[in-house]
Amino acid sequence: MEQSSPLRLLRLIAAGALALHAALAMAQATVEVIPLHYRSSAEIIPILQPLLPRDGSISGFQNQLIIRTTPANLAEIRRVLAGIDVAPRRLLITVRQDADADARSRAAEISGSVPLGERATITLPGAAASPDTVPDKNGLRITTTDSRAAETDRDTQSVQVLEGYSAFIRVGQSIPVPQRTVVQGVIGGQVVDRVMDSVEYRDVTTGFYAVPRLNGERVVLEINPQRNTPNPQAPGSVNIQQAATTVSGKLGEWLEIGGLRQDRAEQQSVLLGRTTGAQADRRSIWIRVEELR
């Protein structure tokens, strides 16, 4: 205990000296009003707050910073602020949403007439002869038909935005969707169903929401694209394509942020014939961020 008491006393003296030095330094503190040129005080204050001494303070008023600190700390804050309060870079965000459909079918059947003896003949009905018809020695015909349909649909949208700020763009249309409602009522003591027809409008839109942040020549992008299209095979329904992600890449390069592929094959056998088909549906979403100078 006799050896620890002097050590404790030295620590108290050192702590008091440091506190006195800080108090003397803050006694010389000045209040400085610094105008901001490109950034808001709400953006700047969280960055500069950790740089202040314990008794320093910082607040914002309109496009100005009000700082109370020591002269040495104020010089450091000015150096940091010079690298932060700069003009945000102008960017062009382009989103491309592709949809490719490919359908193939093949049909084969047998037709013709086959004699059975001198007085009997069996006739197999079928399609008329075509360049793909192959006759055999018995007079039968094997007919094959091939068909293919390909469809490509591409939507491209662009919007300008400043780095660090959000961008949103959406275009489309409202399509009428017939609605039929059955309402029950009582007429003359009997329950009667009454059909009521109406029309509702459904928005079918394509667009995206994005927030880009730059680090030199690389961009980190929060992106949420969506693409809705009417379904021609089911009137009143809508095909929906949507993604939400955060990606990183170089300025000016295309980035694939999502994709979908659906394949379906079917086969149907009929009397004296067979039909096969295959369908492929491919969807992809690409994005590019460019700097506008």
Side-chain angles (χ1 to χ4, degrees):
M1 296 296 294
E2 294 181 358
Q3 294 179 354
S4 61
S5 296
L7 181 59
R8 184 181 298 109
L9 180 59
L10 290 175
R11 289 178 177 175
L12 291 175
I13 294 174
L18 290 175
L20 179 61
H21 177 75
L24 292 175
M26 289 307 300
Q28 302 174 356
T30 60
V31 176
E32 190 79 9
V33 178
I34 303 177
L36 298 175
H37 302 289
Y38 301 103
R39 306 287 183 173
S40 66
S41 58
E43 295 177 89
I44 298 297
I45 290 178
I47 300 175
L48 299 182
Q49 186 78 53
L51 303 179
L52 294 174
R54 179 182 302 176
D55 295 331
S57 64
I58 182 172
S59 60
F61 178 73
Q62 295 181 351
N63 291 328
Q64 297 176 328
L65 294 177
I66 303 174
I67 303 175
R68 179 179 179 272
T69 187
T70 64
N73 183 247
L74 182 61
E76 179 184 0
I77 287 179
R78 286 187 178 276
R79 287 193 298 270
V80 174
L81 188 60
I84 299 176
D85 188 21
V86 296
R89 296 155 73 177
R90 293 173 55 237
L91 305 174
L92 178 67
I93 303 175
T94 303
V95 173
R96 193 183 76 202
Q97 303 191 61
D98 300 341
D100 299 320
D102 189 3
R104 301 184 182 186
S105 63
R106 181 181 181 88
E109 67 175 1
I110 299 176
S111 62
S113 299
V114 179
L116 294 179
E118 297 180 355
R119 297 184 179 182
T121 301
I122 296 178
T123 301
L124 304 177
S130 68
D132 296 326
T133 300
V134 180
D136 69 359
K137 61 182 180 180
N138 297 318
L140 295 178
R141 298 190 301 268
I142 302 175
T143 304
T144 61
T145 57
D146 293 295
S147 64
R148 178 182 179 184
E151 181 181 356
T152 299
D153 189 7
R154 174 175 296 176
D155 281 328
T156 302
Q157 295 175 307
S158 299
V159 65
Q160 293 189 30
V161 65
L162 297 177
E163 63 167 308
Y165 292 83
S166 61
F168 176 73
I169 183 173
R170 184 173 64 180
V171 296
Q173 59 180 336
S174 293
I175 61 173
V177 179
Q179 301 288 333
R180 172 162 291 187
T181 306
V182 178
V183 180
Q184 289 186 339
V186 178
I187 300 178
Q190 295 182 348
V191 178
V192 179
D193 292 338
R194 185 173 58 178
V195 179
M196 301 181 61
D197 293 328
S198 61
V199 176
E200 293 184 359
Y201 286 85
R202 180 175 300 174
D203 290 339
V204 180
T205 60
T206 297
F208 65 90
Y209 169 84
V211 181
R213 295 180 175 85
L214 295 183
N215 183 9
E217 294 302 310
R218 297 190 64 85
V219 59
V220 176
L221 186 70
E222 298 177 22
I223 182 74
N224 183 357
Q226 67 174 29
R227 181 175 184 268
N228 302 332
T229 56
N231 186 354
Q233 299 179 352
S237 63
V238 177
N239 295 324
I240 297 176
Q241 174 178 299
Q242 188 171 7
T245 186
T246 300
V247 295
S248 174
K250 293 182 180 179
L251 286 174
E253 72 175 0
W254 283 102
L255 302 174
E256 185 176 11
I257 64 173
L260 174 66
R261 179 184 176 97
Q262 292 180 328
D263 295 299
R264 185 177 63 182
E266 57 184 13
Q267 178 175 310
Q268 182 179 7
S269 297
V270 296
L271 182 63
L272 304 177
R274 185 178 62 181
T275 301
T276 60
Q279 294 181 350
D281 185 10
R282 296 177 297 274
R283 298 174 181 268
S284 59
I285 304 173
W286 296 80
I287 188 165
R288 180 178 65 186
V289 181
E290 303 171 276
E291 183 176 4
L292 299 175
R293 301 181 184 275

